[in-house]
Amino acid sequence: MKKLSDVLTVRSTMFATISVLVLLAALLAMGLLTPFILRVSTGEEILLDAAYFNLRAALPTLALVMLLTLCLLIGSAGKKEALLVFGLGISGSALSVAFSPFSSLPVNISFPLLSAALFAVIYRLLSSKEKTLKGTLRRAGSHIIHLGAVLLLVGIVFSTNMNLEDSAVVPLGELGTFKSMGYSVHVTNITSGIEGTPYGGYSGSAYVSTVYFDVYRWGQLFDRGQVRYISDFKWEQAYTETYIHRGLLEELFIAPKSVDTKSQTVELYVRKVPFMTALWGGFYLMVLGVLMIFLSDSLKGEKGTPGDGLPGNRFYERNSQVNESKNDNRKKRVSKKNV
Protein backbone atom coordinates (compact mmCIF):
# COMPACT_ATOMS: atom_id res chain seq x y z
CA MET A 1 0.00 0.00 0.00
CA LYS A 2 1.42 3.37 -1.04
CA LYS A 3 1.94 6.11 1.49
CA LEU A 4 0.05 9.37 1.23
CA SER A 5 3.29 11.22 0.57
CA ASP A 6 3.94 8.98 -2.45
CA VAL A 7 0.45 9.56 -3.88
CA LEU A 8 0.28 13.27 -3.10
CA THR A 9 2.60 14.74 -5.72
CA VAL A 10 2.45 17.73 -8.04
CA ARG A 11 1.84 15.43 -11.00
CA SER A 12 -1.03 13.53 -9.37
CA THR A 13 -2.77 16.67 -8.12
CA MET A 14 -2.31 18.30 -11.52
CA PHE A 15 -3.87 15.26 -13.20
CA ALA A 16 -6.79 15.30 -10.75
CA THR A 17 -7.29 19.05 -11.30
CA ILE A 18 -7.40 18.67 -15.07
CA SER A 19 -9.80 15.72 -14.77
CA VAL A 20 -12.23 17.69 -12.60
CA LEU A 21 -11.93 20.69 -14.95
CA VAL A 22 -12.83 18.48 -17.93
CA LEU A 23 -15.81 17.08 -15.98
CA LEU A 24 -17.01 20.58 -15.12
CA ALA A 25 -16.67 21.71 -18.73
CA ALA A 26 -18.64 18.66 -19.88
CA LEU A 27 -21.46 19.38 -17.42
CA LEU A 28 -21.70 23.00 -18.56
CA ALA A 29 -21.57 22.00 -22.23
CA MET A 30 -24.40 19.51 -21.70
CA GLY A 31 -26.51 22.18 -20.06
CA LEU A 32 -25.88 24.63 -22.90
CA LEU A 33 -26.49 22.12 -25.68
CA THR A 34 -29.59 20.41 -24.23
CA PRO A 35 -32.07 23.21 -25.19
CA PHE A 36 -30.61 23.35 -28.70
CA ILE A 37 -30.78 19.57 -29.19
CA LEU A 38 -34.38 19.42 -27.96
CA ARG A 39 -35.41 22.28 -30.20
CA VAL A 40 -33.84 20.66 -33.27
CA SER A 41 -35.05 17.13 -32.56
CA THR A 42 -38.54 17.70 -31.08
CA GLY A 43 -39.27 21.40 -31.64
CA GLU A 44 -39.78 21.86 -27.88
CA GLU A 45 -38.47 25.05 -26.28
CA ILE A 46 -36.94 24.81 -22.79
CA LEU A 47 -34.96 27.28 -20.70
CA LEU A 48 -32.34 26.15 -18.19
CA ASP A 49 -31.89 28.84 -15.53
CA ALA A 50 -28.97 29.53 -13.20
CA ALA A 51 -30.31 27.10 -10.58
CA TYR A 52 -29.87 24.20 -13.02
CA PHE A 53 -26.18 24.97 -13.52
CA ASN A 54 -25.51 25.86 -9.87
CA LEU A 55 -26.87 22.52 -8.67
CA ARG A 56 -24.69 20.48 -11.02
CA ALA A 57 -21.53 22.59 -10.99
CA ALA A 58 -21.28 23.25 -7.23
CA LEU A 59 -19.45 20.08 -6.14
CA PRO A 60 -17.00 19.91 -9.10
CA THR A 61 -16.18 23.58 -8.59
CA LEU A 62 -15.43 23.09 -4.89
CA ALA A 63 -13.31 20.03 -5.71
CA LEU A 64 -11.45 22.11 -8.30
CA VAL A 65 -10.74 24.83 -5.72
CA MET A 66 -9.41 22.32 -3.16
CA LEU A 67 -7.19 20.59 -5.74
CA LEU A 68 -5.86 23.96 -6.90
CA THR A 69 -4.87 24.75 -3.31
CA LEU A 70 -2.96 21.48 -2.96
CA CYS A 71 -1.34 21.75 -6.38
CA LEU A 72 0.00 25.26 -5.74
CA LEU A 73 1.34 24.63 -2.24
CA ILE A 74 2.89 21.18 -2.73
CA GLY A 75 5.41 22.51 -5.23
CA SER A 76 6.35 25.60 -3.23
CA ALA A 77 5.66 25.23 0.51
CA GLY A 78 5.77 21.44 0.83
CA LYS A 79 3.36 18.56 1.37
CA LYS A 80 2.86 19.08 5.13
CA GLU A 81 2.17 22.78 4.70
CA ALA A 82 -0.19 22.11 1.80
CA LEU A 83 -2.15 19.57 3.84
CA LEU A 84 -2.25 22.02 6.77
CA VAL A 85 -3.81 24.79 4.65
CA PHE A 86 -6.12 22.25 3.02
CA GLY A 87 -7.23 21.01 6.45
CA LEU A 88 -7.80 24.56 7.68
CA GLY A 89 -10.01 25.21 4.67
CA ILE A 90 -12.09 22.08 5.32
CA SER A 91 -12.36 22.83 9.05
CA GLY A 92 -13.29 26.45 8.36
CA SER A 93 -16.00 25.29 5.98
CA ALA A 94 -17.45 22.94 8.62
CA LEU A 95 -17.40 25.68 11.28
CA SER A 96 -18.93 28.16 8.86
CA VAL A 97 -21.82 25.79 8.20
CA ALA A 98 -22.29 25.23 11.94
CA PHE A 99 -22.30 28.90 12.96
CA SER A 100 -23.68 30.32 9.65
CA PRO A 101 -21.97 33.74 9.50
CA PHE A 102 -23.58 34.35 6.10
CA SER A 103 -27.22 34.09 5.15
CA SER A 104 -26.59 31.48 2.47
CA LEU A 105 -25.50 27.84 2.84
CA PRO A 106 -23.46 27.80 -0.42
CA VAL A 107 -21.53 30.87 0.75
CA ASN A 108 -20.94 29.34 4.20
CA ILE A 109 -19.49 26.22 2.60
CA SER A 110 -17.39 27.80 -0.14
CA PHE A 111 -15.99 30.96 1.45
CA PRO A 112 -13.34 29.25 3.70
CA LEU A 113 -12.26 27.01 0.82
CA LEU A 114 -11.95 29.99 -1.51
CA SER A 115 -9.96 31.84 1.19
CA ALA A 116 -7.51 28.91 1.39
CA ALA A 117 -7.16 28.90 -2.40
CA LEU A 118 -6.61 32.67 -2.42
CA PHE A 119 -3.86 32.29 0.19
CA ALA A 120 -2.22 29.52 -1.87
CA VAL A 121 -2.23 31.61 -5.05
CA ILE A 122 -0.80 34.72 -3.35
CA TYR A 123 1.85 32.65 -1.53
CA ARG A 124 2.93 30.96 -4.75
CA LEU A 125 2.99 34.28 -6.60
CA LEU A 126 5.15 35.97 -3.96
CA SER A 127 7.48 33.01 -3.45
CA SER A 128 8.27 32.39 -7.12
CA LYS A 129 11.70 33.67 -8.12
CA GLU A 130 12.99 33.70 -11.68
CA LYS A 131 16.32 34.90 -13.03
CA THR A 132 15.08 36.03 -16.43
CA LEU A 133 12.39 38.43 -17.54
CA LYS A 134 10.87 35.74 -19.75
CA GLY A 135 10.64 33.29 -16.88
CA THR A 136 9.26 35.94 -14.52
CA LEU A 137 6.50 36.96 -16.93
CA ARG A 138 5.53 33.38 -17.67
CA ARG A 139 5.44 32.26 -14.05
CA ALA A 140 3.71 35.42 -12.79
CA GLY A 141 1.21 35.27 -15.65
CA SER A 142 0.13 31.74 -14.78
CA HIS A 143 -0.37 32.63 -11.12
CA ILE A 144 -2.26 35.82 -12.01
CA ILE A 145 -4.62 33.63 -14.04
CA HIS A 146 -5.15 31.48 -10.94
CA LEU A 147 -5.75 34.59 -8.84
CA GLY A 148 -8.29 35.88 -11.35
CA ALA A 149 -10.08 32.52 -11.38
CA VAL A 150 -10.40 32.51 -7.57
CA LEU A 151 -11.70 36.10 -7.50
CA LEU A 152 -14.11 35.21 -10.30
CA LEU A 153 -15.48 32.33 -8.22
CA VAL A 154 -15.79 34.60 -5.16
CA GLY A 155 -17.82 37.07 -7.21
CA ILE A 156 -20.02 34.33 -8.67
CA VAL A 157 -20.72 32.69 -5.30
CA PHE A 158 -21.58 35.92 -3.49
CA SER A 159 -23.48 37.65 -6.29
CA THR A 160 -25.55 34.54 -7.05
CA ASN A 161 -26.47 33.56 -3.51
CA MET A 162 -26.60 36.87 -1.62
CA ASN A 163 -28.30 39.28 -4.01
CA LEU A 164 -31.42 41.04 -2.71
CA GLU A 165 -34.33 42.33 -4.78
CA ASP A 166 -37.65 44.01 -4.09
CA SER A 167 -40.21 46.28 -5.74
CA ALA A 168 -42.63 48.94 -4.54
CA VAL A 169 -45.06 51.51 -5.95
CA VAL A 170 -43.78 55.01 -5.14
CA PRO A 171 -45.94 58.15 -5.78
CA LEU A 172 -44.36 61.40 -6.92
CA GLY A 173 -42.82 63.30 -4.00
CA GLU A 174 -42.85 60.32 -1.65
CA LEU A 175 -40.26 57.88 -0.34
CA GLY A 176 -40.09 54.18 -1.14
CA THR A 177 -38.16 52.19 1.48
CA PHE A 178 -36.40 48.88 0.89
CA LYS A 179 -35.38 47.97 4.44
CA SER A 180 -33.72 44.63 3.68
CA MET A 181 -31.18 46.42 1.47
CA GLY A 182 -30.77 49.58 3.52
CA TYR A 183 -31.85 51.82 0.63
CA SER A 184 -34.68 54.29 0.12
CA VAL A 185 -35.75 56.02 -3.11
CA HIS A 186 -37.39 59.45 -3.14
CA VAL A 187 -39.16 60.22 -6.44
CA THR A 188 -38.60 63.91 -7.20
CA ASN A 189 -40.09 64.28 -10.70
CA ILE A 190 -41.87 62.35 -13.47
CA THR A 191 -41.96 63.67 -17.05
CA SER A 192 -43.68 62.02 -20.02
CA GLY A 193 -43.90 62.72 -23.74
CA ILE A 194 -43.38 61.48 -27.28
CA GLU A 195 -39.77 61.37 -28.47
CA GLY A 196 -37.89 60.31 -31.60
CA THR A 197 -38.57 60.58 -35.32
CA PRO A 198 -42.21 60.60 -36.52
CA TYR A 199 -43.75 57.18 -37.11
CA GLY A 200 -47.21 56.42 -38.50
CA GLY A 201 -49.72 58.84 -37.08
CA TYR A 202 -47.47 59.76 -34.16
CA SER A 203 -45.17 62.75 -33.89
CA GLY A 204 -42.43 60.48 -32.55
CA SER A 205 -41.36 56.85 -32.44
CA ALA A 206 -41.87 56.18 -28.70
CA TYR A 207 -43.66 57.42 -25.61
CA VAL A 208 -41.06 58.00 -22.91
CA SER A 209 -41.57 58.48 -19.17
CA THR A 210 -38.53 59.71 -17.25
CA VAL A 211 -38.40 59.28 -13.48
CA TYR A 212 -35.98 61.37 -11.41
CA PHE A 213 -35.12 60.31 -7.87
CA ASP A 214 -32.76 60.61 -4.91
CA VAL A 215 -31.21 57.47 -3.41
CA TYR A 216 -30.66 57.24 0.36
CA ARG A 217 -28.51 54.60 2.06
CA TRP A 218 -29.21 54.03 5.76
CA GLY A 219 -31.00 57.40 5.89
CA GLN A 220 -28.19 59.43 4.28
CA LEU A 221 -28.28 60.90 0.78
CA PHE A 222 -26.28 58.53 -1.40
CA ASP A 223 -26.81 59.49 -5.05
CA ARG A 224 -29.18 61.04 -7.58
CA GLY A 225 -30.29 59.38 -10.77
CA GLN A 226 -33.00 58.72 -13.31
CA VAL A 227 -34.67 55.83 -15.13
CA ARG A 228 -36.76 55.75 -18.31
CA TYR A 229 -39.76 53.66 -19.30
CA ILE A 230 -40.05 53.56 -23.10
CA SER A 231 -43.06 52.32 -25.08
CA ASP A 232 -41.98 51.84 -28.70
CA PHE A 233 -44.71 52.40 -31.31
CA LYS A 234 -42.89 50.69 -34.18
CA TRP A 235 -42.01 47.47 -32.43
CA GLU A 236 -45.05 47.53 -30.11
CA GLN A 237 -43.05 46.71 -27.02
CA ALA A 238 -41.76 48.41 -23.89
CA TYR A 239 -38.25 48.52 -22.48
CA THR A 240 -36.42 50.42 -19.78
CA GLU A 241 -33.20 52.30 -19.14
CA THR A 242 -31.78 51.24 -15.78
CA TYR A 243 -29.93 53.12 -13.07
CA ILE A 244 -26.73 51.31 -12.04
CA HIS A 245 -24.32 52.31 -9.28
CA ARG A 246 -21.15 50.23 -9.11
CA GLY A 247 -19.30 50.22 -5.81
CA LEU A 248 -16.34 48.31 -4.45
CA LEU A 249 -18.42 45.83 -2.44
CA GLU A 250 -21.81 45.94 -4.17
CA GLU A 251 -23.78 47.14 -7.17
CA LEU A 252 -27.22 48.74 -7.03
CA PHE A 253 -29.78 48.41 -9.85
CA ILE A 254 -33.01 50.43 -10.09
CA ALA A 255 -35.49 49.99 -12.96
CA PRO A 256 -39.12 51.04 -13.56
CA LYS A 257 -41.55 48.13 -13.89
CA SER A 258 -44.40 50.46 -14.84
CA VAL A 259 -45.28 54.16 -14.83
CA ASP A 260 -48.78 55.59 -14.31
CA THR A 261 -48.75 59.10 -15.73
CA LYS A 262 -52.29 59.88 -14.54
CA SER A 263 -51.73 59.08 -10.87
CA GLN A 264 -48.05 60.09 -11.10
CA THR A 265 -46.81 56.84 -9.57
CA VAL A 266 -44.00 54.49 -10.57
CA GLU A 267 -43.37 50.87 -9.62
CA LEU A 268 -39.63 50.59 -8.98
CA TYR A 269 -37.63 47.38 -9.03
CA VAL A 270 -34.51 47.54 -6.83
CA ARG A 271 -31.75 44.94 -6.73
CA LYS A 272 -28.52 44.85 -4.71
CA VAL A 273 -25.75 42.50 -5.84
CA PRO A 274 -22.61 42.11 -3.67
CA PHE A 275 -19.02 41.49 -4.82
CA MET A 276 -19.58 42.15 -8.50
CA THR A 277 -16.24 43.98 -8.46
CA ALA A 278 -14.50 40.70 -7.57
CA LEU A 279 -16.20 39.03 -10.54
CA TRP A 280 -15.14 41.67 -13.07
CA GLY A 281 -11.73 42.10 -11.45
CA GLY A 282 -11.10 38.36 -11.66
CA PHE A 283 -12.01 38.35 -15.33
CA TYR A 284 -9.61 41.21 -16.13
CA LEU A 285 -6.82 39.56 -14.10
CA MET A 286 -7.22 36.37 -16.14
CA VAL A 287 -6.93 38.40 -19.35
CA LEU A 288 -3.82 40.13 -17.95
CA GLY A 289 -2.24 36.78 -17.08
CA VAL A 290 -2.85 35.41 -20.57
CA LEU A 291 -1.30 38.54 -22.11
CA MET A 292 1.76 38.19 -19.87
CA ILE A 293 2.25 34.58 -21.02
CA PHE A 294 1.93 35.61 -24.67
CA LEU A 295 4.43 38.43 -24.05
CA SER A 296 6.89 36.02 -22.45
CA ASP A 297 6.64 33.70 -25.47
CA SER A 298 7.41 36.61 -27.79
CA LEU A 299 10.64 37.51 -25.98
CA LYS A 300 13.76 36.29 -27.78
CA GLY A 301 17.38 36.03 -26.88
CA GLU A 302 16.84 35.09 -23.24
CA LYS A 303 17.74 31.56 -22.26
CA GLY A 304 16.70 30.27 -18.91
CA THR A 305 19.40 29.29 -16.47
CA PRO A 306 19.34 25.83 -14.90
CA GLY A 307 17.85 27.20 -11.70
CA ASP A 308 15.08 29.35 -13.14
CA GLY A 309 12.41 26.82 -12.27
CA LEU A 310 10.93 26.32 -15.74
CA PRO A 311 9.96 22.72 -16.52
CA GLY A 312 11.81 22.70 -19.83
CA ASN A 313 15.03 23.92 -18.22
CA ARG A 314 14.75 21.40 -15.40
CA PHE A 315 14.33 18.64 -17.98
CA TYR A 316 17.34 19.94 -19.91
CA GLU A 317 19.38 20.11 -16.71
CA ARG A 318 18.57 16.53 -15.76
CA ASN A 319 19.44 15.28 -19.25
CA SER A 320 22.73 17.17 -19.14
CA GLN A 321 23.61 15.61 -15.79
CA VAL A 322 22.74 12.12 -17.09
CA ASN A 323 24.84 12.63 -20.23
CA GLU A 324 27.78 13.89 -18.18
CA SER A 325 27.61 10.86 -15.88
CA LYS A 326 27.49 8.52 -18.91
CA ASN A 327 30.53 10.20 -20.44
CA ASP A 328 32.44 9.84 -17.15
CA ASN A 329 31.61 6.14 -16.97
CA ARG A 330 32.77 5.63 -20.56
CA LYS A 331 36.07 7.40 -19.84
CA LYS A 332 36.66 5.17 -16.80
CA ARG A 333 36.00 2.02 -18.84
CA VAL A 334 38.39 3.13 -21.56
CA SER A 335 41.10 3.92 -19.03
CA LYS A 336 40.71 0.47 -17.41
CA LYS A 337 41.07 -1.24 -20.78
CA ASN A 338 44.24 0.69 -21.53
CA VAL A 339 45.71 -0.35 -18.20
Side-chain angles (χ1 to χ4, degrees):
M1 185 175 180
K2 292 185 177 181
K3 296 181 180 179
L4 179 61
S5 58
D6 297 331
V7 178
L8 193 62
T9 62
V10 175
R11 178 175 294 180
S12 62
T13 52
M14 182 75 72
F15 176 77
T17 302
I18 295 174
S19 300
V20 174
L21 185 60
V22 171
L23 173 63
L24 182 60
L27 290 173
L28 295 177
M30 288 176 60
L32 294 172
L33 291 176
T34 298
F36 172 76
I37 294 174
L38 283 177
R39 186 178 63 182
V40 172
S41 59
T42 64
E44 182 181 356
E45 295 279 351
I46 64 171
L47 178 63
L48 300 179
D49 56 5
Y52 173 88
F53 292 96
N54 291 340
L55 181 63
R56 287 158 179 78
L59 291 179
T61 302
L62 289 179
L64 188 64
V65 170
M66 291 186 288
L67 288 170
L68 177 64
T69 303
L70 284 175
C71 188
L72 290 174
L73 291 179
I74 287 175
S76 56
K79 295 180 181 180
K80 292 182 179 180
E81 291 76 5
L83 289 174
L84 175 62
V85 176
F86 181 81
L88 290 175
I90 298 293
S91 302
S93 181
L95 291 174
S96 181
V97 172
F99 292 98
S100 187
F102 303 99
S103 59
S104 172
L105 179 61
V107 177
N108 289 330
I109 295 174
S110 59
F111 181 71
L113 298 175
L114 289 171
S115 299
L118 186 63
F119 169 79
V121 173
I122 295 176
Y123 177 84
R124 187 65 182 270
L125 180 62
L126 296 178
S127 62
S128 61
K129 296 180 180 179
E130 302 291 340
K131 295 183 178 180
T132 63
L133 177 60
K134 183 174 183 178
T136 300
L137 287 175
R138 188 169 186 84
R139 181 61 62 87
S142 64
H143 295 323
I144 287 176
I145 292 175
H146 293 146
L147 179 61
V150 174
L151 289 178
L152 188 69
L153 289 174
V154 170
I156 291 173
V157 169
F158 274 86
S159 62
T160 303
N161 296 283
M162 295 192 67
N163 66 83
L164 299 173
E165 56 184 8
D166 197 2
S167 60
V169 177
V170 184
L172 175 63
E174 296 190 13
L175 188 71
T177 303
F178 305 89
K179 293 183 179 179
S180 61
M181 308 179 200
Y183 287 98
S184 301
V185 180
H186 178 236
V187 178
T188 58
N189 192 17
I190 299 177
T191 61
S192 301
I194 297 177
E195 297 181 5
T197 58
Y199 174 77
Y202 301 99
S203 59
S205 59
Y207 188 80
V208 181
S209 297
T210 305
V211 181
Y212 301 88
F213 53 81
D214 296 336
V215 182
Y216 292 84
R217 183 166 62 182
W218 306 116
Q220 302 295 324
L221 182 62
F222 173 68
D223 195 14
R224 291 185 170 91
Q226 67 180 47
V227 293
R228 286 155 58 94
Y229 188 88
I230 303 170
S231 299
D232 194 285
F233 299 139
K234 181 178 180 179
W235 302 107
E236 297 181 352
Q237 63 181 4
Y239 57 94
T240 64
E241 291 183 2
T242 307
Y243 163 89
I244 303 175
H245 183 275
R246 293 184 170 89
L248 182 61
L249 298 178
E250 64 185 26
E251 291 189 1
L252 179 67
F253 299 84
I254 301 177
K257 296 180 70 174
S258 63
V259 178
D260 191 336
T261 56
K262 293 182 179 180
S263 62
Q264 291 288 282
T265 60
V266 54
E267 184 178 6
L268 292 176
Y269 167 80
V270 180
R271 186 183 185 200
K272 183 175 75 170
V273 183
F275 283 91
M276 286 294 291
T277 304
L279 192 151
W280 292 112
F283 172 77
Y284 290 126
L285 281 177
M286 293 178 69
V287 173
L288 175 62
V290 171
L291 292 177
M292 291 176 65
I293 292 177
F294 276 122
L295 180 61
S296 69
D297 291 337
S298 66
L299 293 178
K300 297 180 180 179
E302 287 196 45
K303 295 183 179 180
T305 59
D308 66 356
L310 294 176
N313 290 328
R314 291 175 181 172
F315 178 76
Y316 174 79
E317 181 183 3
R318 286 195 294 268
N319 285 345
S320 299
Q321 292 175 353
V322 171
N323 292 332
E324 288 177 1
S325 62
K326 288 181 179 179
N327 292 332
D328 292 339
N329 291 332
R330 289 175 183 173
K331 290 179 181 179
K332 290 179 180 178
R333 290 175 185 174
V334 172
S335 61
K336 287 181 179 180
K337 290 181 179 178
N338 293 334
V339 173

